[in-house]
Amino acid sequence: MPSTPRVVLFRHAPIDIDSRVKKFATTLQRAGYEPVVISLEPVGGIAGEYRLGGDIRVIRLPIVRAPREKADTTRVNNLEARRTMHRRRAVYRDRITGANTASAKALLKWATSTAKVVYLKTEDAVSDVTFRLQQARDKRRGEKDPFVLAGVDRGLPVVTDIANTLTDLLVDLRPDVLHAHHPQVLLAARDALRILREQGHAVKFYYDARENFAGIPDMEQGLRAAHEALIACEAAMIGEADAVSTVSEPIADVLRENYALAARPSVFLNMPPLTPLAGPTTVREAAGLGPDVPVVLYSGTMSWARGIETIVRGIAHMPPEAHLVIVSVPLPHPMIPKLEALAAEHGLADRLHFVGPVSQDQLLHYLSGADVAVHPLPGGSPNHDAAMPNKLFEYLHAGLPLVVSDAKLMAAFVSDNGVGRVFTSEDPVSFGEQVGATLADLPSERVHEVAATYSWQGQEGAIISLYNSLTGFDGHLPAEEVPFGSLEVTPAVPAH
């Protein structure tokens, strides 16, 4: 191991709104490591050298699709169309609530999308039969590659595209540790590890599991084949990792049990670093709302599967003077017209506001302009019930009390710490009532006490201890008073 170990951190998407990989990289640099972050961009996206916090190298790399036969290309397009239709069907199904006009419209749209799914599945049936025959032949011939046996290239073609894009760069960087952040990058990790080790280069493998992917609810899975391929990627490589971490205690237990891991994964909650609140504006000002208007905030992933519809419908059951502000990532977002139409249908359009995201350094100040923050992630699935979203801690650091769904771990955290209230998942009335109760009795002092307890810096020591044991390096964190550093990604300044 060299005097300064190089750690290459990478995941399946751009890192701009991914605070976790940026926090890991910053912590590693603070302890004397050399982190390099790869930001995978969409096909045709931006490329080049950037810097995280001013001096951590970030390489933006657009995905380059792997070569495919014409039949395979057609099937990839078919898969994408079916994923879209499956998600739409689930949304329309949940809108069928009884004998009313809205339900009738939803039923018609559900039937139309179902017919499209049937057509696409029929179109793909012959290809599926051919694949199953090939799969059987592979097994008889002694094929051992788990990615091939699981049909990952068929079920989740982006995995092959990522490997096609990423593997050579991972090898060229000559890392001492490959730090992977998503199952979709694990084929690239496997191939890079193999090449590096064949070349005699010693390299360790670290896998950070963001979710209980096996427990993702049906509405988020899309196609079953895609979800099975995702799990196959994780199953193929998690046992090969020299270190595994995850985001909550229940997920650590599930991972160890599901994959018979020799050691329980380390748990590093996805908490923000303690930083001063600073920025030019807040969500209140961005939405054009006055100081006396109660502002209820949602910030984060826009997804039907994560309960966004519940909180829009729930505006009708909040106090009449309260407004809902949604920080949309990105803005504009394709869901916004549908949510605006939903609000207008119930006479709520003037109380729903969409505002854009801000930089990571300004985020907490931006959020602090609200009165209450909400997280509607529905409970009832293994993944959601074990989730502790980063947004919870960002809200607390912004000084906001919480109103959350009854997803088990999240609800227990809020209740046990006295920082807000819990509503019944996917129940707009319950949501509105709990928002009203929280606005009437804001637990502000308790929020600040809990926020001080839960910060990224509080677990940096454990992260570096794990890395030191992995690499043999004697990394040391700076004194507590040294600022954590910026999480902004900016273009690299060319050397003169």
Side-chain angles (χ1 to χ4, degrees), residues 45-349:
I46 57 176
E49 292 281 341
Y50 285 71
R51 295 293 181 266
L52 165 63
D55 54 1
I56 296 175
R57 187 182 182 194
V58 174
I59 304 171
R60 292 193 185 273
L61 186 66
I63 291 176
V64 178
R65 296 202 189 282
R68 289 187 174 89
E69 299 292 334
K70 183 178 179 181
D72 291 333
T73 301
T74 300
R75 187 171 191 280
V76 169
N77 294 336
N78 182 298
L79 283 170
E80 293 301 324
R82 283 166 61 190
R83 285 192 191 101
T84 300
M85 285 298 112
H86 271 292
R87 293 189 183 101
R88 288 180 183 174
R89 286 178 69 228
V91 171
Y92 297 142
R93 181 191 62 222
D94 289 345
R95 291 183 182 175
I96 302 170
T97 57
N100 52 62
T101 302
S103 291
K105 290 180 180 178
L107 179 61
L108 178 61
K109 291 180 178 178
W110 177 86
T112 301
S113 58
T114 297
K116 290 180 180 177
V117 168
V118 171
Y119 169 77
L120 291 167
K121 289 180 71 174
T122 302
E123 189 179 65
D124 202 35
V126 174
S127 177
D128 281 340
V129 170
T130 303
F131 166 69
R132 298 302 175 192
L133 291 172
Q134 180 62 49
Q135 197 175 38
R137 284 195 293 270
D138 288 339
K139 289 180 179 178
R140 287 197 301 272
R141 292 171 181 169
E143 175 64 61
K144 301 296 185 183
D145 189 330
F147 292 92
V148 173
L149 292 174
V152 168
D153 187 40
R154 284 181 62 81
L156 200 58
V158 69
V159 170
T160 308
D161 294 335
I162 289 173
N164 180 64
T165 304
L166 196 54
T167 303
D168 287 346
L169 177 59
L170 294 177
V171 172
D172 290 345
L173 287 170
R174 314 299 287 177
D176 300 294
V177 182
L178 283 177
H179 185 134
H181 279 266
H182 195 275
Q184 289 186 12
V185 302
L186 293 180
L187 175 58
R190 192 277 306 270
D191 291 349
L193 286 165
R194 180 179 296 170
I195 294 169
L196 286 164
R197 288 167 178 168
E198 287 174 352
Q199 294 175 351
H201 182 77
V203 57
K204 299 290 187 177
F205 173 46
Y206 186 122
Y207 175 54
D208 184 50
R210 307 289 190 90
E211 302 186 55
N212 170 13
F213 291 100
I216 291 175
D218 292 346
M219 191 173 175
E220 286 187 59
Q221 290 178 14
L223 291 180
R224 180 177 297 176
H227 185 242
E228 289 176 351
L230 187 76
I231 301 308
C233 291
E234 186 171 74
M237 288 302 292
I238 192 169
E240 303 298 318
D242 299 288
V244 179
S245 62
T246 189
V247 295
S248 77
E249 301 291 346
I251 294 179
D253 292 334
V254 167
L255 291 174
R256 185 172 191 183
E257 180 178 351
N258 285 357
Y259 298 116
L261 301 179
R264 186 174 183 271
S266 302
V267 175
F268 303 123
L269 297 176
N270 205 13
M271 302 179 289
L274 280 174
T275 56
L277 298 188
T281 190
T282 70
V283 290
R284 180 182 298 275
E285 294 153 354
L289 298 174
D292 298 328
V293 176
V295 173
V296 180
L297 171 73
Y298 173 73
S299 172
T301 303
M302 295 269 282
S303 166
W304 300 111
R306 296 194 170 227
I308 193 76
E309 185 173 355
T310 299
I311 64 175
V312 172
R313 291 181 180 276
I315 298 171
H317 307 285
M318 299 190 318
E321 67 276 13
H323 288 233
L324 176 64
V325 176
I326 296 176
V327 179
S328 172
V329 182
L331 183 73
H333 190 287
M335 287 180 62
I336 289 178
K338 297 175 183 177
L339 292 171
E340 288 177 332
L342 178 64
E345 182 181 331
H346 293 82
L348 305 169

Side-chain angles (χ1 to χ4, degrees), residues 6-10 34-38 170 173 175 177-180:
R6 174 177 290 174
V7 181
V8 177
L9 305 98
F10 56 104
E34 181 199 352
V36 178
V37 180
I38 300 175
L170 294 177
L173 287 170
V177 182
L178 283 177
H179 185 134

Side-chain angles (χ1 to χ4, degrees), residues 412-447:
F413 175 83
V414 170
S415 297
D416 293 349
N417 285 286
V419 290
R421 288 177 169 79
V422 176
F423 69 93
T424 303
S425 289
E426 300 178 300
D427 184 338
V429 176
S430 175
F431 167 76
E433 290 174 348
Q434 295 306 320
V435 166
T438 305
L439 286 168
D441 184 20
L442 296 172
S444 301
E445 184 174 337
R446 181 61 184 153
V447 166

